Amino acid sequence: MSHDRLLYVYAVTRPFAAELPAGTRGLDGAPPALIEHDSLCAAVSPVPAADFDVAPLRAHLEDMDWLAATARTHQSVIAALAEVTCPVPLRLATVCRDEDGVRRLLDSGRARFEPTIERLDGRIEWGVKVYADAPAPAPERTVSAPELKATTGRDYLRRRLGQRQSRDETWRRAGTLSRALHADLCERAEAGRLHQPQSGRLSGASGENVLNAAYLVPRERSDEFVAAVRERTPQVDGVRVELTGPWAPYSFAGGPEDGPDQEES
């Protein structure tokens, strides 16, 4: 491979014969290629070294728009793989110098990849998030000029106290629901995992994320799990439950935490 191109690796699977869903596109705009090596297979795309070599990649990871676009494509390829095989997702921005580098990656990770594929085969991931929505502020009361000096300070403190009490109560309800829901869903899934709450600035979701959990579920029990989430989601003022998926089982693939990875030349 030319020195100005690298190979971006999305996931590792067993070799498979099925075609990927129509329209599957990698970071280069073409369907990902498959590199087979000793009973394992890597899904890859050629990418420019000018974007994915160590120094430019470090700069790109500070660019939220670039990072989000790359992550969407990464996820879409893994979702396509999950329709026809059992992929072990690799962390975002895993790149190798050439095909030999991909084969070295498969060899070095074989002790993890093979049992992980065995464990995850036929399973999918569902995500459940609980949000505490801040109560809407009370409408301001118009006061006349003579009243203003006497009432503004007292009314302001009263409103602030009421808002704080309302916010604390919403958080209490969200926390109670999160604990009960997570305990119940862990009983219904093969495994459950708690992630750090997501920042609203990054996710675009309103409210404060209280629970951010993932659950590993056999594919044939997926409808049952979804029904259980909906049945056990009470209508609680100021508290919102969000179900996402199905996903390839990112949270249960093991290995390093998400982040860029560079295969040494």
Side-chain angles (χ1 to χ4, degrees):
M1 173 166 288
S2 168
H3 290 302
D4 64 353
R5 307 289 283 176
L6 303 172
L7 286 175
Y8 185 107
V9 191
Y10 303 96
V12 174
T13 77
R14 295 190 186 102
F16 61 96
E19 293 187 4
L20 291 175
T24 302
R25 295 290 182 268
L27 289 164
D28 63 339
L34 302 175
I35 298 176
E36 294 186 18
H37 177 62
D38 289 346
S39 78
L40 291 175
C41 175
V44 307
S45 288
V47 291
D51 285 327
F52 285 90
D53 218 339
V54 177
L57 179 59
R58 188 177 295 118
H60 276 313
L61 292 176
E62 302 298 322
D63 180 343
M64 296 306 297
D65 291 337
W66 185 93
L67 189 60
T70 302
R72 283 194 298 270
T73 302
H74 180 97
Q75 183 172 304
S76 70
V77 169
I78 293 171
L81 288 165
E83 292 193 30
V84 297
T85 186
C86 177
V88 177
L90 297 189
R91 55 189 180 175
L92 189 68
T94 296
V95 295
C96 295
R97 295 291 174 187
D98 51 27
E99 291 192 12
D100 285 342
V102 174
R103 295 185 182 96
R104 287 194 295 271
L105 182 149
L106 294 176
D107 282 336
S108 65
R110 185 175 302 277
R112 174 172 75 91
F113 295 141
E114 290 182 338
T116 300
I117 291 171
E118 187 69 27
R119 177 170 52 85
L120 298 182
D121 197 16
R123 277 91 176 154
I124 55 178
E125 177 176 326
W126 287 95
V128 175
K129 296 181 175 67
V130 175
Y131 294 91
D133 290 318
E140 295 290 336
R141 182 174 69 88
T142 302
V143 296
S144 63
E147 294 179 288
L148 187 59
K149 185 174 180 180
T151 64
T152 298
R154 184 173 62 249
D155 287 351
Y156 172 78
L157 291 175
R158 184 181 297 117
R159 285 197 303 272
R160 292 290 292 173
L161 178 59
Q163 290 168 359
R164 178 175 178 178
Q165 290 173 337
S166 180
R167 184 176 65 247
D168 290 349
E169 177 61 19
T170 299
W171 269 88
R172 187 192 65 77
R173 291 195 297 260
T176 299
L177 174 60
S178 295
R179 288 188 293 272
L181 187 60
H182 180 61
D184 188 18
L185 295 179
C186 282
E187 292 291 325
R188 298 172 178 277
E190 287 192 355
R193 183 154 296 172
L194 291 173
H195 296 302
Q196 289 291 330
Q198 286 187 324
S199 162
R201 184 177 67 86
L202 297 179
S203 68
S206 62
E208 293 291 330
N209 185 206
V210 179
L211 175 71
N212 181 16
Y215 303 93
L216 185 67
V217 180
R219 192 177 294 275
E220 67 272 13
R221 289 174 47 200
S222 185
D223 289 346
E224 175 188 333
F225 182 84
V226 170
V229 174
R230 291 173 176 159
E231 289 169 4
R232 286 156 181 77
T233 303
Q235 297 300 315
V236 179
D237 288 344
V239 179
R240 178 166 49 88
V241 178
E242 180 182 283
L243 175 69
T244 65
W247 310 108
Y250 295 88
S251 301
F252 304 92
E257 294 298 320
D258 286 346
D261 189 29
Q262 292 279 344
E263 184 264 338
E264 296 297 330
S265 57

